[in-house]
Amino acid sequence: MDDAERHRFEVLHALANYQLIEELIKQYLSLHFEVARLLLGKRLYFGFDAADYNRSPLQGLVPLFGKVCSNKRLLEKLKTAVKRRDHLAHRALRNYWVDTSQCDFKELLAELQPTKEQYMLISGVASEIQRLEAVKKEHENAQVLAREA
């Protein structure tokens, strides 16, 4: 594998973690909207639908996530991650497409390595999903008990 091929592989690998974060946020939003509809029932109209956001990029999802998730620390870290992802993606593409002979691949590859921060974000959003799943389960159990009473 030559430097250009390795560069391409490393860029895709590094950006894959951001794609995973994006997908987890989409899962969170979908579940949040489902739980909101369950809790509101027919008392109040709730028209948000996760399908409206399926094609949204990470930078479009993070502000919405901030409106429905109370974990402000995680939100701030996600905002920082969006800026980092954009910087890395643009730098990697610019270096690849402009002139690979002038690119310092070692420096760029070091910057593209998956970070502890990325894994913390993945874990953080996954934890928020678990919290919502617990709320959903609690509501479903309460509904079953109410029907049996």
Side-chain angles (χ1 to χ4, degrees):
M1 180 182 306
D2 67 10
D3 280 345
E5 289 172 342
R6 183 165 178 239
H7 171 256
R8 204 169 332 164
F9 174 79
E10 293 290 337
V11 167
L12 292 174
H13 182 72
L15 295 179
N17 284 323
Y18 291 105
Q19 288 300 115
L20 179 56
I21 293 167
E22 182 179 303
E23 288 304 314
L24 287 169
I25 290 174
K26 288 176 182 178
Q27 284 181 16
Y28 177 89
L29 292 172
S30 179
L31 184 57
H32 187 279
F33 296 159
E34 179 185 352
V35 170
R37 276 190 292 281
L38 284 172
L39 295 176
L40 291 170
K42 295 183 188 237
R43 295 178 297 226
L44 188 65
Y45 175 74
F46 185 80
F48 283 95
D49 189 331
D52 296 336
Y53 304 98
N54 283 345
R55 297 173 59 73
S56 296
L58 185 59
Q59 62 267 29
L61 294 170
V62 170
L64 180 59
F65 181 80
K67 301 278 187 199
V68 297
C69 180
S70 62
N71 189 337
K72 298 308 175 198
R73 184 170 174 238
L74 178 59
L75 177 62
E76 290 307 312
K77 289 180 184 254
L78 285 166
K79 288 177 182 178
T80 301
V82 167
K83 290 176 188 171
R84 178 168 165 70
R85 190 217 70 87
D86 288 347
H87 167 76
L88 290 175
H90 293 132
R91 180 164 178 238
L93 288 173
R94 182 180 59 245
N95 287 343
Y96 181 73
W97 291 110
V98 174
D99 184 4
T100 57
S101 67
Q102 300 297 316
C103 180
D104 180 356
F105 282 107
K106 289 183 181 184
E107 177 188 330
L108 184 59
L109 292 177
E111 193 175 350
L112 286 169
Q113 291 303 309
T115 65
K116 187 176 175 182
E117 187 71 21
Q118 287 174 328
Y119 296 124
M120 289 172 56
L121 290 171
I122 291 166
S123 175
V125 177
S127 293
E128 292 298 324
I129 291 170
Q130 289 175 337
R131 187 183 62 75
L132 276 178
E133 287 173 341
V135 170
K136 180 182 175 186
K137 187 72 172 167
E138 182 181 306
H139 176 75
E140 290 170 344
N141 290 341
Q143 293 293 338
V144 169
L145 290 174
R147 280 193 294 271
E148 291 175 354

